Amino acid sequence: MESLYVSEITVLGIGNTILTDEGFGVRVVEYLRENFNFPENVALIDGGTLGVELQHFIIGTQKLLIIDSVDGAVEPGKTFHLHGDEILNHFTQKISAHQLGIQDILTMLDITGKKIPCVELLGAQPYNLDAGVGLTAEMEKLVPIFADKALEILKSWY
């Protein structure tokens, strides 16, 4: 299967933007795109809720940063920074369609010999997952903080 867009480094924001804080990863990628310039070898992808279809955008990337709201059954706003296999272990408790896709994609790439050498995930426990197109005020405050964390990771990867 060919990749639609091969970049050395990919930042993937995922989430459902009509379920309030579930859209957090997408909103962070939008913030990064609007406020910063990136080298040609960095792709910013709004993965929305594509699930398994996301493979078309990440096959061949060498470094993948996933940004998402993460249900870790902890207090709202708690942040997560997971690396490699920690991501697969966390998503064994599937709570949404796009998380099912992440686990399946990473596992499939590993099994088919196309494992992404470096994968990290930045996430935050959502405050609210009710229907709504905007983030809660509390989650909105985390967007620039997560953008800064993403920039730190990306700078270490250049």
Side-chain angles (χ1 to χ4, degrees), residues 13-64:
I14 53 177
N16 189 335
T17 57
I18 62 170
L19 293 177
T20 318
D21 292 343
E22 171 69 14
F24 180 69
V26 172
R27 300 302 182 214
V28 173
V29 166
E30 290 172 350
Y31 182 90
L32 287 167
R33 187 176 287 131
E34 292 168 5
N35 293 284
F36 301 96
N37 294 313
F38 294 92
E40 289 183 15
N41 67 331
V42 177
L44 299 175
I45 305 291
D46 170 352
T49 58
L50 287 175
V52 176
E53 292 83 13
L54 289 171
Q55 68 184 331
H56 301 293
F57 299 97
I58 65 172
I59 288 177
T61 195
Q62 298 300 301
K63 297 174 181 174
L64 175 64

Side-chain angles (χ1 to χ4, degrees), residues 84-152:
D85 290 340
E86 292 176 324
I87 298 166
L88 291 176
N89 293 337
H90 176 79
F91 288 119
T92 57
Q93 297 177 353
K94 300 172 184 176
I95 60 167
S96 72
H98 74 265
Q99 288 178 345
L100 168 70
I102 289 170
Q103 182 189 31
D104 292 344
I105 291 167
L106 295 176
T107 300
M108 179 184 60
L109 293 175
D110 188 18
I111 290 171
T112 60
K114 297 176 183 174
K115 183 176 183 174
I116 298 170
C118 181
V119 181
E120 295 189 33
L121 179 139
L122 292 176
Q125 178 75 33
Y127 289 86
N128 185 331
L129 297 175
D130 292 340
V133 294
L135 298 175
T136 59
E138 298 90 352
M139 204 72 159
E140 186 70 40
K141 291 177 187 174
L142 294 176
V143 170
I145 295 168
F146 270 68
D148 288 343
K149 288 181 182 184
L151 291 172
E152 286 177 27

